[in-house]
Amino acid sequence: MSTNIKLQSNVAKSSILDKLKSQVKGADYSKLPAEPSYQYPQLSKEQQLAQFIGHLQANHAQVIQLEQAQIAETVSNELKDRGIKKLLYGTQAAHSAHMAELDADINTDISAEVFDFNLAGNKEKLFNDTPASITSSRAAIAATGSIVLWPTVTEPRSLSLVPPVHFVIVDAERLYATFATLIKEQQWQDKLPTNAILVSGPSKTADIQQTLAYGAHGPKELIVLLINS
Amino acid sequence: MAAQQLDPNESKYAASARNFRDNVKRDLGNQELRENFRGAMDYLVDKRKNAFPDGDELETLREQCKLIKQRCLLKLPHLLEQLEENLQANGIHVHWAETITDANDIIAQLIAAKNGKSVVKGKSMVSEETALNDYLEARDIECLESDMGEYIVQLAHQHPSHIIMPAIHQNKKQVADLFADNIDGFAHTTDVDALIGEGRRVLREKFCQADVGITGVNFAVAETGTLCLVENEGNGRMCTTVPDLHIAITGIEKVVEFLDDVPPLLSLLTRSATGQIISTYFNMISHPRQSGEKDGPEEVHLVLLDNGRSQAFADEELRQTLQCIRCGACMNHCPVYTRIGGHAYGTVYPGPIGKIVSPHMLGLEATNNLPTASSMCGACGEVCPVKIPIPKLLQRLRVESVKAKHNGEPVMKGEGSGRKSIEAAIWQVWSIMHKYAFIYKTSMWFATRLRKLMPNKIGVWTSVRTAPKLAPQTLHEKVQARQNQQQYKQLQGGK
Ligand code: SF4
């Protein structure tokens, strides 16, 4: 980085901070008023699950409830319905072995490939030749119907973003009432990943005459595989 | 060259804001534009209403979020330092800029250092504020807007007319015509799915090729060093994931102290803006690509922009302007915005928020018409999720605008620039009249007796209204007469 830019920035920084500091010098933080917070009614696990599914469906996501063992078959059927023959998945996820089985299954002509390449140099392939993907998720939020993606070295960020159809596996055990409780209980303050994402439906826009259209830039379809054992 | 264009640092928006009155005339006469806005505002008002079924919840959340933002502002300098420290520890570079030119320059240098030639941009009002696209294009860097609304606006060589829905002034037929004129091989259609599909096709090619992604920031979390982006389309994620360089730009007021501050603010933001309980994506960025990761930018930079914000900060009342989370609800509910539309203001930020924030960015001299463009109905203050008393701030800015010369520190750039000697003289007379009863009574007596001399035509006022008529007697006289009569009756009755 050029020294010029650093210098310029440092000058601006001290000027801005000086101006701000002179205004709040000696501010007493202990006198800050208490911040209220709304007490939401407690919902049972079943109610939360219903809320979660309801919001996702209202946002145009497809929700399929199933058991772990049914993942490969379900994905295979959904792909077949859409005439899709290719699927990209990450390594070392709980479902990775199922995807490898799917790839090897001689009864389907689906080829499932692992995302074990760098995006740089493979952008064309990901953008133009990858019709579907599957990822895991870290948690889910009932109040807003949101799924928490926590991309890793083995499940890259673009895996859940670029392919037009995104399957995401959600474990009902990891459903939290609200975003606030999720942050608290999982102690997100301590360690956040490169990129954490809440997803609450397929990509959409209402930018043309307030008319809702799906598949603006990200996935056109979000298929939630909800494991409820 | 006109004197006002001599300042190379002056935003292009200062000139268009000065033309406010002409802009209003132009846009009020455009029937199609007015229909587009009316339809859109009715839609957004409805959506917001349905998103808050529980009034108690709404009021608690508003109070909570107001206090969160006020706390973060009170600690602002400290939080900015903490934010910088934590972002740097996470591997994200931080740059500071006082003016829009400085911010643009920093960004241009960052791009040049990477030999960048093409930029994809996520929605960022702050980059509109700095007119970044113009700046980069003048340096041969292609800068493409990727939010669907922004893309449309860019094709039309316009700027956003709404901070959340940039192309709200256009209907689907206008968008279809625009695509037909600009995109090779586009088969003309007004089907919105097909139009979005076309935008998707063009923009995905660009995402695939771009060297740089530029975005705004909705919340910057000091505690964790995290940049949060709220969006529905996925273009923000594309810009922050696919290119090798990500540059985020934001105003210094966007910092929040704790990660725990985010959920209530996010909930109010999306519900107030578009009536969604949450946006499709909430994107939290805390690092550049880490070792072993297969995608994501190698470098992430944050540019923190002042551009007049520290001026607003210096006055405790005006500081409340900086509580804004840019939801757009105030414009959606504004009877003036709904009628004149977003471009008439001439500023980057239109509507009520634009009227209270633009004077700090552009100076009151260029913007002193804006605070007067309000019926003071109070709708903006009532819907504002962080309880900014917008009507009060408008009154305050009106005062600043006509303030007399004084020896103290100026509160604002351009204060007193709207002062007219004749207006000041009239108020001087008014104040003397009201101070001395004798002068008041005598002048009122004359005014009512000479009422026939009142002109029938009083400028613009009578172009749409009949002229007001003074009563033959003042209220004082009438009451006096009545009291006299009653006393007389009592005397008679008492006989
Ligand atoms: S002033 Fe209030 S209502 Fe207007 S955009 Fe800002 S937060 Fe929203």
Side-chain angles (χ1 to χ4, degrees):
Chain A
M1 204 188 313
S2 82
T3 45
N4 185 6
I5 207 179
K6 252 233 152 75
L7 211 71
Q8 196 178 325
S9 167
N10 283 342
V11 172
K13 176 182 170 182
S14 42
S15 166
I16 294 171
L17 287 179
D18 284 353
K19 275 190 260 180
L20 299 181
K21 279 180 183 166
S22 68
Q23 298 303 328
V24 287
K25 228 188 309 171
D28 186 356
Y29 297 162
S30 68
K31 293 231 172 67
L32 282 164
E35 292 162 19
S37 69
Y38 188 74
Q39 291 311 314
Y40 291 93
Q42 292 272 341
L43 299 182
S44 69
K45 274 281 158 207
E46 289 72 46
Q47 286 170 316
Q48 284 182 14
L49 202 64
Q51 195 185 30
F52 174 68
I53 295 171
H55 284 317
L56 273 169
Q57 286 173 337
N59 279 331
H60 238 251
Q62 189 183 337
V63 182
I64 303 171
Q65 298 199 55
L66 73 179
E67 280 168 29
Q68 181 83 27
Q70 297 170 305
I71 291 178
E73 189 196 339
T74 311
V75 169
S76 163
N77 289 337
E78 293 298 321
L79 289 176
K80 236 178 262 162
D81 286 352
R82 290 167 176 76
I84 295 175
K85 296 206 170 80
K86 273 186 172 174
L87 178 76
L88 194 64
Y89 66 99
T91 52
Q92 293 171 31
H95 59 271
S96 298
H98 298 300
M99 295 302 110
E101 275 164 38
L102 184 62
D103 185 54
D105 189 347
I106 46 161
N107 296 320
T108 74
D109 50 2
I110 292 169
S111 80
E113 198 192 330
V114 187
F115 196 148
D116 57 0
F117 45 82
N118 285 324
L119 178 62
N122 287 289
K123 287 185 185 174
E124 295 280 344
K125 170 190 165 112
L126 193 67
F127 273 85
N128 302 326
D129 202 20
T130 308
S133 67
I134 182 165
T135 71
S136 59
S137 64
R138 164 142 174 149
I141 302 166
T144 52
S146 307
I147 296 158
V148 181
L149 304 179
W150 201 269
T152 56
V153 172
T154 57
E155 264 191 347
R157 295 154 74 166
S158 48
L159 184 58
S160 60
L161 173 65
V162 181
V165 177
H166 175 210
F167 291 89
V168 59
I169 300 170
V170 175
D171 185 349
E173 300 268 299
R174 295 203 213 153
L175 184 63
Y176 292 78
T178 63
F179 189 20
T181 50
L182 168 61
I183 290 176
K184 275 212 180 71
E185 286 179 32
Q186 292 197 348
Q187 287 290 319
W188 281 22
Q189 290 86 347
D190 297 344
K191 179 123 189 72
L192 278 165
T194 303
N195 184 208
I197 307 136
L198 308 191
V199 176
S200 306
S203 152
K204 70 178 175 194
T205 183
D207 271 357
I208 301 181
Q209 215 179 329
Q210 303 87 248
T211 310
L212 210 51
Y214 292 92
H217 299 288
K220 294 179 178 183
E221 285 187 75
L222 178 69
I223 303 169
V224 181
L225 305 178
L226 181 59
I227 299 183
N228 196 2
S229 36
Chain B
M1 202 189 271
Q4 50 185 249
Q5 287 170 348
L6 276 176
D7 182 358
N9 280 324
E10 180 168 282
S11 158
K12 62 175 178 179
Y13 297 103
S16 47
R18 279 192 196 97
N19 290 337
F20 177 67
R21 284 170 189 273
D22 291 335
N23 302 345
V24 169
K25 250 184 228 143
R26 175 196 68 205
D27 292 351
L28 278 180
N30 184 337
Q31 195 56 33
E32 191 175 35
L33 188 75
R34 294 189 60 172
E35 276 164 21
N36 294 349
F37 273 103
R38 179 88 244 180
M41 295 307 105
D42 287 349
Y43 166 84
L44 287 169
V45 166
D46 239 38
K47 291 277 280 183
R48 174 186 175 275
K49 199 166 92 200
N50 296 334
F52 292 111
D54 179 349
D56 288 343
E57 186 216 1
L58 171 61
E59 284 319 306
T60 311
L61 266 177
R62 285 179 76 218
E63 184 63 20
Q64 179 185 16
C65 288
K66 176 192 88 177
L67 292 174
I68 289 176
K69 286 297 292 191
Q70 288 181 346
R71 161 170 48 83
C72 295
L73 286 172
L74 191 70
K75 299 182 179 180
L76 185 62
H78 162 68
L79 293 183
L80 286 168
E81 286 174 311
Q82 191 192 357
L83 175 72
E84 180 179 45
E85 216 170 278
N86 285 332
L87 282 171
Q88 283 171 344
N90 289 350
I92 295 176
H93 304 273
V94 179
H95 312 272
W96 303 67
E98 289 198 270
T99 66
I100 57 173
T101 315
D102 288 350
N104 288 340
D105 188 38
I106 290 171
I107 294 175
Q109 289 195 47
L110 291 173
I111 296 172
K114 288 261 151 192
N115 255 329
K117 280 278 156 257
S118 69
V119 174
V120 277
K121 269 181 70 195
K123 210 180 135 18
S124 152
M125 288 309 294
V126 177
S127 74
E128 294 286 343
E129 197 181 313
T130 69
L132 179 66
N133 293 3
D134 299 348
Y135 193 89
L136 293 181
E137 257 147 44
R139 282 153 189 80
D140 274 336
I141 298 166
E142 185 200 36
C143 203
L144 193 73
E145 294 291 346
S146 65
D147 171 88
M148 286 294 177
E150 293 270 357
Y151 173 63
I152 292 166
V153 166
Q154 190 182 28
L155 279 184
H157 303 288
Q158 295 172 329
H159 67 94
S161 58
H162 189 282
I163 62 171
I164 299 290
M165 309 195 99
I168 209 155
H169 57 287
Q170 300 232 5
N171 58 37
K172 56 189 179 187
K173 174 160 181 314
Q174 293 169 309
V175 175
D177 294 345
L178 192 66
F179 278 18
D181 290 344
N182 288 282
I183 303 174
D184 285 341
F186 169 70
H188 197 286
T189 170
T190 53
D191 178 65
V192 171
D193 278 323
L195 289 170
I196 294 296
E198 189 63 18
R200 175 185 172 96
R201 187 185 63 74
V202 173
L203 289 165
R204 276 172 77 97
E205 265 174 42
K206 297 289 180 182
F207 287 130
C208 196
Q209 297 156 0
D211 315 305
V212 187
I214 297 181
T215 67
V217 175
N218 291 94
F219 312 109
V221 186
E223 176 184 33
T224 54
T226 302
L227 308 176
C228 304
L229 275 76
V230 178
E231 59 147 345
N232 283 318
E233 296 186 358
N235 63 311
R237 285 183 68 197
M238 288 280 185
C239 293
T240 56
T241 305
V242 183
D244 268 342
L245 173 62
H246 169 214
I247 305 171
I249 176 167
T250 196
I252 51 173
E253 81 282 20
K254 290 280 175 69
V255 59
V256 296
E257 186 171 11
F258 302 120
L259 197 60
D260 284 340
D261 293 333
V262 170
L265 287 169
L266 174 64
S267 174
L268 267 191
L269 172 59
T270 61
R271 292 203 277 174
S272 303
T274 51
Q276 293 172 268
I277 47 167
I278 193 167
S279 54
T280 301
Y281 301 115
F282 184 63
N283 185 357
M284 308 170 80
I285 298 160
S286 304
H287 300 267
R289 185 192 313 168
Q290 299 190 78
S291 128
E293 288 178 346
K294 301 196 168 49
D295 57 7
E298 275 174 342
E299 273 181 32
V300 179
H301 296 260
L302 174 68
V303 179
L304 290 166
L305 176 67
D306 181 347
N307 191 27
R309 288 163 173 85
S310 56
Q311 175 186 284
F313 188 83
D315 180 283
E316 241 175 273
E317 185 178 35
L318 298 172
R319 187 182 300 162
Q320 297 172 93
T321 311
L322 304 178
Q323 284 163 221
C324 175
I325 54 172
R326 302 284 191 266
C327 72
C330 54
M331 56 198 77
N332 299 343
H333 290 78
C334 177
V336 176
Y337 177 93
T338 305
R339 283 162 182 82
I340 68 175
H343 285 152
Y345 296 85
T347 49
V348 173
Y349 303 95
I353 177 59
K355 290 190 270 197
I356 59 171
V357 78
S358 309
H360 298 289
M361 296 169 175
L362 305 171
L364 256 180
E365 183 273 315
T367 54
N368 58 32
N369 274 318
L370 300 183
T372 68
S374 168
S375 66
M376 289 286 158
C377 74
C380 48
E382 251 171 64
V383 295
C384 177
V386 285
K387 291 191 168 179
I388 302 176
I390 303 173
K392 261 187 100 175
L393 296 185
L394 289 173
Q395 283 175 323
R396 172 69 195 280
L397 291 169
R398 290 176 182 185
V399 171
E400 293 299 329
S401 160
V402 298
K403 202 150 106 179
K405 277 210 175 64
H406 59 99
N407 294 327
E409 275 281 300
V411 173
M412 302 186 63
K413 188 173 147 211
E415 67 175 32
S417 59
R419 189 176 177 87
K420 294 190 192 83
S421 42
I422 170 112
E423 198 179 43
I426 290 173
W427 287 114
Q428 194 69 44
V429 170
W430 187 89
S431 114
I432 293 173
M433 253 173 67
H434 285 74
K435 232 186 256 166
Y436 304 101
F438 173 72
I439 303 182
Y440 180 83
K441 279 198 180 139
T442 333
S443 44
M444 279 304 154
W445 189 91
F446 274 109
T448 46
R449 267 50 181 197
L450 299 175
R451 67 200 183 97
K452 292 263 156 59
L453 298 181
M454 276 264 299
N456 274 329
K457 292 210 181 326
I458 325 172
V460 275
W461 181 268
T462 43
S463 71
V464 285
R465 299 176 182 85
T466 47
K469 288 242 176 318
L470 285 177
Q473 280 178 318
T474 68
L475 187 61
H476 273 146
E477 287 177 89
K478 278 197 166 164
V479 173
Q480 192 65 57
R482 205 181 133 115
Q483 278 175 350
N484 290 348
Q485 223 169 26
Q486 274 170 353
Q487 271 171 8
Y488 177 69
K489 270 193 198 144
Q490 273 170 5
L491 285 175
Q492 298 248 312
K495 248 186 196 170

